[in-house]
Amino acid sequence: MTMDMEEFEAAGNGEERLSTSEAVVKFLLENRDRAWQRREIADEINRDPNTVGTNLSRLKDRGLVRHRKNHWAITDDHHRLVEATQFSKVFSTLNESVGSIIESEEEAKAWSDAQPDRPHPSLGDGEEDTQTVESEGDNDDDQ
């Protein structure tokens, strides 16, 4: 299987271990004195601009980046940024120890498709029908 040259070049510098969100946050944090356009960020971290845009929107929803017009910057909420970074480090350590749980889009889709159509009865209002199974000989009323 072939590899794009940008991907090939990035593979040698350790950046492949960062998710797109992590790479965006790292880049914006390292360059916190400026605001950047989506395409500029994508070019700097060698990622697809559409993927970067999606991740920027998610990071904004989490309060980790700020957005004005066409520009993006890291949050000025230091506490929120520290919490997010620590959470990311926990998952990175876990992935290094046991490997990634989901390694491809196909696996992610399979996990999503396998979800039940309705919530588990323990999450309902408590009025779900329950069935008990009795073994032969356990019911003294039969004698």
Side-chain angles (χ1 to χ4, degrees):
M1 180 176 205
T2 64
M3 179 186 285
D4 181 274
M5 284 307 291
E6 285 183 20
E7 195 176 352
F8 174 79
E9 294 297 334
N13 65 15
E15 293 295 317
E16 77 280 357
R17 297 177 66 179
L18 296 178
S19 70
T20 299
S21 289
E22 291 169 329
V24 167
V25 168
K26 180 178 184 274
F27 173 76
L28 290 176
L29 187 58
E30 290 172 349
N31 297 281
R32 63 183 163 270
D33 59 329
R34 303 194 52 85
W36 300 80
Q37 291 184 355
R38 175 185 59 110
R39 174 156 299 280
E40 293 171 325
I41 297 168
D43 289 346
E44 291 292 328
I45 65 171
N46 294 319
R47 305 290 169 100
D48 179 83
N50 293 325
T51 303
V52 169
T54 300
N55 281 270
L56 283 166
S57 294
R58 291 178 184 160
L59 290 167
K60 180 184 175 190
D61 291 343
R62 293 176 56 204
L64 298 174
V65 298
R66 298 176 285 161
H67 182 228
R68 307 274 190 289
K69 296 186 181 181
N70 293 328
H71 289 80
W72 299 85
I74 197 71
T75 184
D76 55 359
D77 185 342
H78 181 73
H79 179 71
R80 183 179 298 269
L81 193 57
V82 168
E83 280 183 348
T85 303
Q86 289 173 340
F87 185 69
S88 175
K89 287 179 184 174
V90 168
F91 275 110
S92 293
T93 302
L94 181 62
N95 281 339
E96 288 173 13
S97 299
V98 298
S100 177
I101 295 171
I102 298 175
E103 297 184 359
S104 69
E105 283 188 44
E106 292 82 21
E107 281 185 320
K109 182 167 178 9
W111 275 91
S112 178
D113 291 346
Q115 297 302 310
D117 293 334
R118 59 188 180 119
H120 188 275
S122 67
L123 300 176
D125 59 8
E127 295 184 20
E128 297 286 332
D129 290 338
T130 58
Q131 240 182 338
T132 57
V133 177
E134 295 179 1
S135 305
E136 278 185 39
D138 286 349
N139 191 344
D140 292 333
D141 294 337
D142 290 342
Q143 296 177 355

